[in-house]
């Protein structure tokens, strides 16, 4: 369109700059009076067939038979009568496996399928993402949500570029020169009105060396505090 200009729809900014992504895990009231939805955390999105059957049964028993899947690999049970909330939250599946109130780092942890079931993936992601996060939580205390995404290869199904901290699988060498599974670390991705793609923070980090590096990133960039290993929970 040489020499042409598009007419603005409005002189005012139409995008809400203060928009913040909602936290849907836990119990939240619906617009419909007397109903709530319950967001359930599915660790790195891994659910077995028998667990899916149990979730479906809970949706039938406490809701309207409906389960909603989220892009963060979690599940929502909508249309739960408020009088049934206590009984739902006491169900063994929610108490022992899929908590509506996970730890702050687990809340937003995402991982692609990884090389266990995907031929494209270079590294194993799901079990490793859980293990690294659990160990990091023992090292530092975090007071704000930090979105950590893992992807097993550059196809980036785990969307590391929009994560606060992203891990992209690669092969690298350890301190002895031995080839081992590793990651490229990305930092600073954002979603929403102030969106920004993450930038490479460090390349070729062996997975076995990740915990202290991630702990330092959380302290230096996200306000985490190192724990006193003997005195802190």
């Amino acid at each position: 369109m040489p020499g042409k200009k598009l007419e603005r729809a409005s002189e005012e900014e139409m995008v809400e700059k203060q928009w913040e992504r909602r936290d849907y895990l836990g119990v939240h009231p619906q617009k419909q009076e007397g109903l709530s939805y319950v967001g359930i955390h599915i660790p790195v999105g891994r659910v077995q067939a028998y667990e899916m059957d149990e979730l479906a049964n809970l949706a039938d028993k406490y809701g309207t038979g409906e389960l909603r899947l989220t892009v963060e690999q979690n599940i929502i049970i909508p249309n739960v009568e408020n009088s049934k909330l206590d009984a739902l939250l006491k169900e063994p599946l929610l108490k022992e496996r899929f908590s509506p109130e996970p730890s702050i780092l687990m809340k937003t942890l995402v991982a692609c399928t990884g090389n266990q079931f995907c031929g494209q993936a270079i590294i194993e992601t799901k079990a490793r993402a859980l293990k690294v996060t659990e160990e990091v939580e023992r090292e530092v205390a975090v007071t704000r949500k930090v979105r950590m995404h893992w992807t097993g290869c550059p196809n980036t199904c785990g969307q590391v570029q929009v994560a606060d901290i992203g891990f992209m699988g690669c092969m690298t060498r350890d301190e002895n020169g031995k080839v081992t599974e590793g990651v490229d670390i990305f930092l600073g991705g954002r979603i929403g009105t102030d969106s920004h793609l993450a930038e490479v923070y460090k390349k070729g980090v062996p997975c076995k060396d990740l915990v202290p590096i991630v702990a330092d990133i959380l302290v230096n960039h996200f306000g985490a505090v190192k724990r006193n290993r003997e005195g802190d929970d």
Side-chain angles (χ1 to χ4, degrees), residues 60-127:
D60 283 335
K61 183 176 179 181
Y62 295 102
T64 52
E66 182 179 351
L67 293 171
R68 299 183 184 180
L69 309 183
T70 77
V71 294
E72 289 89 2
Q73 304 176 319
N74 296 310
I75 287 178
I76 294 172
I77 301 178
N79 305 315
V80 179
E81 294 180 13
N82 291 340
S83 60
K84 297 180 179 180
L85 285 171
D86 286 344
L88 171 59
L89 296 175
K90 290 177 182 176
E91 285 283 348
L93 187 66
L94 272 60
K95 300 287 285 184
E96 301 166 6
R97 182 79 176 99
F98 301 139
S99 172
E101 298 181 356
S103 66
I104 197 164
L105 286 182
M106 288 295 181
K107 267 188 176 186
T108 49
L109 182 65
V110 171
C112 77
T113 300
N115 65 8
Q116 183 179 7
F117 298 113
C118 176
Q120 300 291 326
I122 299 169
I123 68 168
E124 195 284 322
T125 54
K126 287 191 180 290

Side-chain angles (χ1 to χ4, degrees), residues 150-221:
W150 288 68
T151 191
C153 74
N155 287 317
T156 194
C157 294
Q159 301 179 339
V160 298
Q161 290 92 344
V162 296
D164 292 316
I165 307 174
F167 307 92
M168 181 181 290
C170 66
M171 298 306 292
T172 188
R173 295 185 182 274
D174 62 16
E175 66 276 11
N176 299 315
K178 182 179 178 181
V179 175
T180 185
E181 291 190 1
V183 294
D184 295 335
I185 301 177
F186 291 75
L187 195 61
R190 295 193 298 273
I191 54 177
T193 56
D194 188 27
S195 58
H196 181 267
L197 293 180
E199 298 178 358
V200 176
Y201 174 80
K202 195 168 187 178
K203 293 181 71 71
V205 179
C207 289
K208 66 182 183 64
D209 299 334
L210 271 176
V211 172
I213 294 175
V214 176
D216 285 343
I217 290 173
L218 289 170
V219 169
N220 295 329
H221 296 272

